[in-house]
Amino acid sequence: MSALKILVIPGSLRSGSLNAKLAAVAAHELAQAGAEVSRISLSDFPLPIYDGDLQAKSGVPKNAVNLKRMIGAHHGVLIVTPEYNSSVPPLVKNTIDWVSRVQDPHEVRGQVFRDRVFAIAAASGGRLGGSRALAALRLILSACQATVIPNQLALSFAEHAYDDMDHLKHPADIEAMQAMVRQLIDLSQRMM
């Protein structure tokens, strides 16, 4: 059997992002649990704001096709999203909008979402830990017919959640991370 491959996508490009930091911790935990992990930056896949007229005129951008194929090369995906105004940021939503429109030969549009397992996490400086963004992201991915695992991680007060080695320091956060990682790996292995 081939190695289980998990893709980790931070939904923030900001320098010092709490979500990019959480994505790095999650990638480490996934690797420790035996997965082959790839962590990417959406800055490597810049996309215009989704516009149906643009798609009709120019087709789906090459970066959307490349990102769809990157997702397709993995058995599971973890998206770590910031929360903007109680929802997902435009970067995350726009990326999903474009990727959902890629259709390679011999597949239906959006098949990449149906054929793998997704996990979601968020980090926030606030008390809710990005939980409203996670609810919105779960809804968006479900509309794409993705399997989104029940366990998720909403990291509250994220700027104070790490020790000096950049590991999660609070037992509840560690437990939530481990539960999410275990469930993502278990369900991804079943779909291999």
Side-chain angles (χ1 to χ4, degrees):
M1 180 183 283
S2 62
L4 178 72
K5 296 180 181 177
I6 304 291
L7 180 63
V8 177
I9 305 174
S12 177
L13 305 179
R14 186 176 58 79
S15 174
S17 164
L18 295 171
N19 287 277
K21 188 174 188 175
L22 182 59
V25 170
H28 177 76
E29 288 292 324
L30 285 158
Q32 291 294 108
E36 185 178 306
V37 181
S38 303
R39 184 165 44 108
I40 62 168
S41 172
L42 291 177
S43 65
D44 294 329
F45 302 90
L47 294 165
I49 295 296
Y50 179 75
D51 176 345
D53 290 339
L54 176 63
Q55 181 183 356
K57 178 181 171 188
S58 307
V60 176
K62 185 171 178 38
N63 280 330
V65 173
N66 291 342
L67 182 54
K68 180 261 178 194
R69 290 184 179 151
M70 171 71 79
I71 293 169
H74 292 80
H75 303 103
V77 179
L78 169 61
I79 300 175
V80 184
T81 184
E83 181 175 286
Y84 292 2
N85 298 317
S86 300
S87 191
V88 296
L91 175 66
V92 173
K93 178 68 165 77
N94 190 59
T95 298
I96 293 170
D97 289 345
W98 273 119
V99 170
S100 72
R101 278 144 178 93
V102 178
Q103 183 175 355
D104 282 326
H106 311 294
E107 68 178 26
V108 296
R109 192 179 85 180
Q111 187 169 335
V112 72
F113 291 100
R114 294 181 194 91
D115 290 348
R116 55 216 18 88
V117 178
F118 284 77
I120 56 176
S124 168
R127 177 175 49 89
L128 299 178
S131 58
R132 294 169 296 196
L134 291 176
L137 181 55
R138 184 176 294 279
L139 181 64
I140 293 164
L141 290 170
S142 295
C144 294
Q145 299 181 9
T147 298
V148 184
I149 65 170
N151 286 333
Q152 62 184 31
L153 175 58
L155 186 64
S156 304
F157 308 113
E159 65 274 7
H160 304 294
Y162 300 94
D163 62 20
D164 293 340
M165 301 295 290
D166 283 341
H167 297 114
L168 293 173
K169 66 181 180 182
H170 303 297
D173 295 336
I174 295 167
E175 186 177 318
M177 172 69 78
Q178 290 172 344
M180 181 186 68
V181 163
R182 275 193 312 272
Q183 194 169 62
L184 177 58
I185 287 174
D186 290 346
L187 289 177
S188 297
Q189 285 174 330
R190 288 185 209 164
M191 290 185 68
M192 285 177 73

